Amino acid sequence: MKFLLVLLCLAMPMAKRKIMADKSTSTVTYSAKHPLHKWDGVSHDVNCAMIYNDETKLPESVAVSIKVASFDSDNNNRDSHAMEVLDGIKYPNVTFVSSDIKPGSDGQLVAKGTLTFHGIAKAITVPVTRKEAGNTMTLTGEFPVSLTDYKIERPSLMGMKTEDDLLLKINAVFKL
């Protein structure tokens, strides 16, 4: 009887499981602006996990961690200066941990959680688009981050400071 019960449990899909994002295809990008130019910095070193519910076919929670030093803006001087401005040694990671994910309008999801950046944790809400193709789910979202809200002095070039807001964009790819 016990053997039959074990086989039955093995045949049933798990209701919830932890899935890690595919690091080879996932990215986090920041976009910044200065009066003279704008640029993007991209991290391909995205550590992201979700708890996926096989019954509802929805993510129930997500956690993302990115090393500040992993962002590449195609300019080594700018990247080195960013490490200084962001205190990348003292605060090496930017993290987001969801506290609630709900279906929103137009098939989107709404993820509420905490963004920790430069040692400061703040509650944020991120609209997330979910796309599925075959056995792959891609979650994408973007949201502004105010440097002054996180007590980061805005960098300057030629006496002009960058804009206060960065745009953070996440593209997390999961194999279901």
Side-chain angles (χ1 to χ4, degrees):
M1 182 68 165
K2 284 184 184 180
F3 180 73
L4 184 57
L5 193 55
V6 169
L7 282 178
L8 187 58
C9 287
L10 290 175
M12 294 173 49
M14 294 177 13
K16 298 178 187 181
R17 58 191 164 113
K18 176 181 165 183
I19 305 172
M20 298 299 295
D22 180 355
K23 289 183 97 168
S24 68
T25 55
S26 299
T27 59
V28 171
T29 303
Y30 76 86
S31 297
K33 293 180 185 174
H34 182 271
L36 300 177
H37 65 287
K38 56 186 173 180
W39 70 96
D40 293 334
V42 181
S43 173
H44 295 278
D45 188 14
V46 179
N47 294 299
C48 181
M50 82 167 158
I51 301 298
Y52 181 76
N53 187 319
D54 283 309
E55 291 175 3
T56 63
K57 306 288 188 213
L58 292 171
E60 291 192 350
S61 64
V62 172
V64 184
S65 180
I66 307 102
K67 293 180 176 139
V68 172
S70 70
F71 285 95
D72 181 2
S73 70
D74 289 329
N75 181 315
N76 289 336
N77 288 336
R78 181 173 37 232
D79 295 339
S80 294
H81 187 60
M83 280 294 292
E84 290 175 37
V85 169
L86 299 175
D87 296 317
I89 301 298
K90 186 174 181 181
Y91 308 110
N93 298 310
V94 178
T95 62
F96 173 77
V97 178
S98 70
S99 56
D100 185 43
I101 299 177
K102 297 264 192 259
S105 62
D106 300 332
Q108 287 203 354
L109 302 171
V110 177
K112 293 181 180 182
T114 302
L115 177 70
T116 304
F117 183 34
H118 199 244
I120 297 173
K122 291 195 171 284
I124 66 167
T125 299
V126 181
V128 178
T129 301
R130 178 186 74 175
K131 292 182 182 169
E132 292 186 43
N135 69 340
T136 301
M137 176 188 286
T138 302
L139 300 177
T140 57
E142 61 181 52
F143 55 95
V145 176
S146 165
L147 295 175
T148 54
D149 283 354
Y150 291 89
K151 303 203 183 316
I152 299 167
E153 186 173 331
R154 291 170 30 208
S156 63
L157 175 66
M158 298 178 65
M160 296 178 278
K161 292 187 179 232
T162 62
E163 288 187 7
D164 186 47
D165 280 348
L166 299 175
L167 184 64
L168 277 182
K169 298 176 255 186
I170 184 163
N171 182 62
V173 180
F174 299 90
K175 302 257 192 268
L176 301 176

